[in-house]
Amino acid sequence: MQLKRIAQANLPTPWGVFTMIGFEELATGKDHVALVMGDITQDKPILTRVHSECLTGDALFSLRCDCGFQLEAALKHIAENKTGILIYHRQEGRNIGLLNKIRAYALQDQGLDTVEANHKLGFAADERDFTLCADMLALLGVKSIKLLTNNPKKIHVLEEAGINIAERIPLEVGENPNNEHYLQTKMQKMGHILHLHPVDK
């Protein structure tokens, strides 16, 4: 187990009241949170979103990615379902950090895609460790989930870590002219399951 559960409190949101639970990585002291709604102790798969931190998309309304759109859509899904978990996985920029993410953006402005930009900076295309999310689910007592994702890597890593993925639920939102190439790269180079449509320029 790489984490310990530290604290919890109510978090009112536009989609309803969640319980926010904070976790700390034992090795680094880095923190992550889970937003929980309803009774997740039920003996059935729990609707879950593993959402990676994206300051630019989640808080600053960036159109370069689909992250903020996915965050809002996931919270709405959970609220409509009245039960679920959103894991907020604090590994910014696919775990290269905010400043390197800005450097990667600059390289993308010069014509590189997101994978090429990460490689140019000396990183893998995706540096995230999703086993931390499996540990959070285990600490919440959840072993089986319905996962809101387009990313097969999340499914594979969580299953390898002992989480049963009973169903994959697509989360395709936020496509716009500014992130068209970004989404194409996710689909073509990173294997994300997407059904993209031409967008107006």
Side-chain angles (χ1 to χ4, degrees):
M1 186 67 64
Q2 303 177 71
L3 300 160
K4 61 180 176 179
R5 182 170 169 165
I6 298 295
Q8 73 178 58
N10 289 335
L11 184 72
T13 77
W15 303 276
V17 179
F18 289 80
T19 300
M20 180 170 63
I21 303 170
F23 300 86
E24 181 180 86
E25 285 186 44
L26 297 175
T28 66
K30 194 171 184 178
D31 48 75
H32 306 269
V33 298
L35 300 184
V36 175
M37 180 177 281
D39 180 9
I40 61 170
T41 65
Q42 302 174 56
D43 189 22
K44 65 178 184 180
I46 302 299
L47 182 64
T48 300
R49 166 70 180 164
V50 169
H51 187 86
S52 296
E53 179 180 29
C54 176
L55 177 72
T56 47
D58 298 341
L60 301 178
F61 313 107
S62 171
L63 297 177
R64 298 184 73 129
C65 62
D66 55 347
C67 304
F69 298 100
Q70 288 187 318
L71 177 60
E72 290 197 18
L75 291 170
K76 183 180 177 182
H77 273 294
I78 291 168
E80 289 173 347
N81 189 61
K82 295 184 171 50
T83 304
I85 302 166
L86 185 134
I87 289 176
Y88 199 79
H89 184 223
R90 300 200 59 213
Q91 297 195 5
E92 175 72 52
R94 298 185 188 143
N95 208 25
I96 67 172
L98 180 60
L99 297 182
N100 281 319
K101 180 180 176 179
I102 297 171
R103 292 185 180 104
Y105 278 172
L107 291 171
Q108 291 165 43
D109 289 341
Q110 297 169 26
L112 275 64
D113 64 34
T114 54
V115 171
E116 292 165 345
N118 270 27
H119 289 165
K120 181 81 171 178
L121 293 170
F123 299 107
D126 192 341
E127 296 271 352
R128 290 172 293 182
D129 177 8
F130 292 116
T131 60
L132 290 169
C133 303
D135 283 352
M136 276 187 268
L137 289 168
L139 286 169
L140 292 170
V142 173
K143 297 179 180 178
S144 182
I145 63 175
K146 294 185 291 184
L147 188 62
L148 286 157
T149 190
N150 307 320
N151 185 355
K153 180 181 177 181
K154 289 182 184 177
I155 296 171
H156 174 73
V157 173
L158 291 175
E159 286 184 331
E160 286 287 305
I163 302 298
N164 174 56
I165 311 297
E167 182 182 356
R168 181 190 78 87
I169 300 173
L171 195 62
E172 298 187 48
V173 291
E175 187 178 353
N176 69 79
N178 298 281
N179 67 18
E180 185 177 19
H181 186 48
Y182 164 84
L183 294 175
Q184 289 283 353
T185 301
K186 285 173 79 171
M187 181 175 68
Q188 294 168 3
K189 291 191 174 183
M190 303 185 73
H192 287 220
I193 304 166
L194 294 167
H195 304 87
L196 303 178
H197 306 92
V199 292
D200 294 333
K201 300 293 185 183

